[in-house]
């Protein structure tokens, strides 16, 4: 068999394989579809907030988020220090105080969240209070350990 004939057969075979692969990907019925993301309702939707209430909620939520973010950053540094102590041959004496600070920050986050929810509750009118329990249930599902995004 001559080299020319061999290259012709090889090129024809590769062309057929290429056409089959392209056809397979173009015409297959079950194409890749990203998973549907459920729409997370906003506080305005859940509680039926009017524009003024929504603006007050946004201000409270932003302040709460900023406070939690700051506490999280402090806690991150303390946790790094606390657990990296395992790398030291001689344990640090300050570990108890670091652990106490970590617990204090966690308590501050819990208190801040409760205060924010109290502020939200204070925004509501009597007819909106019926939806507040559902709102609290939604918040608890989000903030409980193990329920992160």
């Amino acid at each position: 068999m001559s080299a020319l004939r061999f290259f012709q057969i090889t090129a024809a075979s590769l062309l057929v394989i290429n056409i089959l692969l392209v056809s397979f990907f173009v015409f297959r019925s079950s194409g890749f579809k990203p998973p549907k993301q459920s729409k997370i309702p906003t506080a305005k939707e859940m509680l039926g907030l009017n524009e003024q209430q929504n603006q007050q909620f946004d201000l409270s939520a932003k302040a709460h988020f900023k406070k939690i973010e700051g506490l999280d950053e402090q806690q991150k540094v303390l946790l790094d220090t606390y657990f990296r102590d395992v790398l030291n041959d001689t344990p640090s004496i300050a570990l108890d105080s670091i652990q106490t600070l970590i617990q204090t920050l966690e308590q501050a986050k819990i208190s801040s969240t409760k205060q924010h929810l109290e502020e939200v509750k204070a925004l509501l009118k009597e007819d909106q209070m019926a939806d507040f329990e559902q709102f609290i249930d939604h918040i608890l599902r989000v903030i409980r350990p193990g329920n992160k995004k």
Side-chain angles (χ1 to χ4, degrees), residues 3 10 25 44-45 69-70 72 81 85 101 113-114 119 142:
T10 303
F25 287 115
K44 181 178 182 178
E45 295 167 345
E69 202 174 45
D72 280 342
T81 304
D85 188 66
L101 287 171
T113 301
K114 186 170 187 315
E119 291 171 5
V142 172

Side-chain angles (χ1 to χ4, degrees), residues 22-109:
V22 169
S23 304
F24 172 74
F25 287 115
V26 170
F27 296 115
R28 71 180 178 166
S29 61
S30 62
F32 172 75
K33 295 174 187 165
K36 291 183 180 179
Q37 295 181 358
S38 61
K39 184 180 181 291
I40 299 172
T42 63
K44 181 178 182 178
E45 295 167 345
M46 290 184 80
L47 298 171
L49 301 178
N50 62 33
E51 283 306 313
Q52 182 183 6
Q53 288 173 316
N54 195 47
Q55 288 175 354
Q56 291 173 329
F57 174 84
D58 283 345
L59 289 173
S60 176
K62 285 176 185 172
H64 172 65
F65 179 77
K66 189 173 182 177
K67 184 172 186 175
I68 295 295
E69 202 174 45
L71 293 170
D72 280 342
E73 284 302 314
Q74 292 175 36
Q75 195 174 33
K76 213 181 286 185
V77 171
L78 290 172
L79 285 169
D80 282 352
T81 304
Y82 185 79
F83 287 112
R84 288 191 181 280
D85 188 66
V86 172
L87 300 173
N88 296 332
D89 290 335
T90 56
S92 173
I93 299 171
L95 286 183
D96 287 343
S97 61
I98 292 174
Q99 189 175 25
T100 302
L101 287 171
I102 292 168
Q103 291 170 344
T104 303
L105 290 173
E106 196 62 35
Q107 289 171 338
K109 291 192 300 187

